[in-house]
Amino acid sequence: MSHQTGITANEDLLNFFSTCRNGSVRVFRITIEDGTEALQLGEWYPAQGSWEDDYDTLVLPLLKEKQPCYLLYRLDSEAHGGYEWVLVSWSPDDSPVREKMLYASTKATLRKEFGATQIRDEIFGTVHEDVSLDGLRRHRKSASAPVPLTPREEEMQEIKKQEVGVDIGVDTKHQTMAGITFPIVPQALDAVREFTTGDLQYVQLKIDTSAEEIHLADTAETLTVHDLPRRVPDSAARYHLYRYDHNYEGDFFHSVLFIYSMPGYACPIKERMLYSSSKNPITDVLESGFNLAISKKLEVGEGSELTEEYLLDEIHPKRNLHRPKFAKPKGPANRGAKRLTRTPKDSPGNDES
């Protein structure tokens, strides 16, 4: 599954895109607007001198601590019927993980909506030295002549792998976002241990997006399958561990289920991304760190899907052992009596005497 944010430019930014290419704008800042989750226009400045003279003076003051953003900086050169631009992706090391994910996954959309053919250079940075004029020159030099990567460049290259394209077609291949591993708080770890020992039949975990940790949301010593749907929130994503004790064809089973519940678009985009990206890492921790044998991993949109019939079909899928034989199609109607294609041996016309 490929991960895309669905975030696009708002109307004001789209209008600015159409007017900024006339040469009056040197640089402008773009951020992802909270609440509406759209690309919005920030500060912008006109050209004052040559592009090299303006660069550090105008670019560096726009970069804020702990706040990722994009900058589009106009060069003096022209190509493809317009000015060429530099796209700067700013992602400080101390900014929240979810913000880094969001900006990395939205950059392809920004390039498409602005016009990728007008972007001559793209640079990524976590400190001012990466995106300064000297940093841009180093980037151009390394792009034109392949050299061994420094540890910092290797780190930047790994981060860039998180970026996901948004052009969807029959032959399009998307790069999936790497899983995000958040720490599990001690209270949640204790609950998982009690689940593995059989002291708890149900454990619910949630991601605290502000603290970037996995917390305990709910537990139950005993929980029937009929009461399970009521534990699934209607407007928030969750991870659930449930031990389904049941009889099937004369045998008794303790089936451990990992259930990922995501109530669709009732959740914000950030929450959907975080839960989807963290699902595989947390199951890896449960299986390897706690030696928990998960019988089945399920994904549901709402609690009402978790019926006993559904669980049994998932855990014990039915196999059709008696396949129907192919039925010979009937011939055309009113075709008359069958005709013999050869003469029987015992007929008078076949007498050899």
Side-chain angles (χ1 to χ4, degrees), residues 12-70:
D12 290 341
L13 181 57
L14 290 175
N15 292 334
F16 189 81
F17 283 165
S18 62
T19 59
C20 71
R21 296 186 176 90
N22 60 9
S24 60
V25 176
R26 176 64 79 188
V27 63
F28 59 99
R29 184 171 181 264
I30 303 169
T31 58
I32 296 178
E33 184 178 4
D34 291 334
T36 60
E37 294 176 329
L39 291 168
Q40 65 174 351
L41 176 64
E43 305 95 316
W44 66 273
Y45 295 103
Q48 300 174 6
S50 68
W51 79 268
E52 291 182 322
D53 293 336
D54 288 347
Y55 192 95
D56 284 344
T57 304
L58 298 181
V59 167
L60 299 184
L62 291 175
L63 306 177
K64 301 180 180 180
E65 296 180 357
K66 300 183 180 181
Q67 176 56 61
C69 71
Y70 309 108

Side-chain angles (χ1 to χ4, degrees), residues 52-279:
E52 291 182 322
D53 293 336
D54 288 347
Y55 192 95
D56 284 344
T57 304
L58 298 181
V59 167
L60 299 184
L62 291 175
L63 306 177
K64 301 180 180 180
E65 296 180 357
K66 300 183 180 181
Q67 176 56 61
C69 71
Y70 309 108
L71 299 182
L72 276 163
Y73 185 88
R74 182 182 62 78
L75 303 173
D76 294 334
S77 56
E78 296 185 38
H80 307 289
Y83 285 100
E84 293 183 309
W85 295 74
V86 177
L87 174 58
V88 179
S89 297
W90 173 245
S91 184
D93 288 330
D94 55 356
S95 55
V97 173
R98 62 182 181 278
E99 296 292 333
K100 295 179 183 179
M101 291 174 52
L102 203 61
Y103 278 80
S105 302
T106 309
K107 190 174 87 168
T109 301
L110 173 61
R111 293 179 72 258
K112 180 182 178 183
E113 295 191 333
F114 178 77
T117 57
Q118 302 303 129
I119 298 176
R120 174 178 169 178
D121 296 292
E122 292 184 39
I123 55 176
F124 173 88
T126 59
V127 293
H128 283 193
E129 289 76 11
D130 296 332
V131 295
S132 65
L133 181 58
D134 288 339
L136 176 59
R137 288 170 176 161
R138 290 193 300 270
H139 165 77
R140 288 181 171 181
K141 184 178 180 180
S142 63
S144 60
V147 295
L149 298 178
T150 65
R152 173 169 287 279
E153 288 170 336
E154 290 179 353
E155 180 182 356
M156 291 181 184
Q157 191 178 68
E158 191 65 27
I159 293 175
K160 285 183 179 180
K161 291 179 182 178
Q162 310 298 324
E163 297 166 3
V164 183
V166 297
D167 297 327
I168 300 175
V170 174
D171 298 322
T172 304
K173 293 182 180 180
H174 292 294
Q175 185 178 18
T176 56
M177 184 177 296
I180 303 300
T181 304
F182 290 126
I184 305 176
V185 300
Q187 185 184 17
L189 290 173
D190 292 340
V192 173
R193 290 191 186 96
E194 291 185 56
F195 179 86
T196 58
T197 59
D199 295 330
L200 294 176
Q201 188 175 1
Y202 172 78
V203 172
Q204 183 182 130
L205 303 173
K206 67 177 182 180
I207 297 178
D208 187 324
T209 56
S210 59
E212 297 178 357
E213 297 172 334
I214 295 178
H215 286 219
L216 180 65
D218 192 13
T219 62
E221 293 183 3
T222 58
L223 184 67
T224 66
V225 68
H226 301 290
D227 294 330
L228 177 61
R230 288 194 284 269
R231 298 293 181 117
V232 179
D234 295 330
S235 58
R238 290 290 188 269
Y239 301 128
H240 312 260
L241 278 173
Y242 180 61
R243 190 182 68 253
Y244 181 33
D245 299 332
H246 62 284
N247 288 291
Y248 183 77
E249 294 184 350
D251 294 322
F252 189 76
F253 294 87
H254 297 283
S255 300
V256 174
L257 305 179
F258 177 84
I259 304 168
Y260 164 44
S261 64
M262 170 59 68
Y265 292 96
C267 294
I269 292 175
K270 291 181 183 179
E271 185 173 336
R272 296 202 301 269
M273 287 179 57
L274 289 176
Y275 273 86
S276 178
S277 301
S278 303
K279 179 179 62 174

Side-chain angles (χ1 to χ4, degrees), residues 195 240-242 254-259 279-280 282-288 291-298:
F195 179 86
H240 312 260
L241 278 173
Y242 180 61
H254 297 283
S255 300
V256 174
L257 305 179
F258 177 84
I259 304 168
K279 179 179 62 174
N280 289 337
I282 194 172
T283 54
D284 290 343
V285 170
L286 293 172
E287 291 177 322
S288 60
N291 294 322
L292 190 62
I294 298 177
S295 305
K296 193 72 178 180
K297 300 173 185 177
L298 306 175

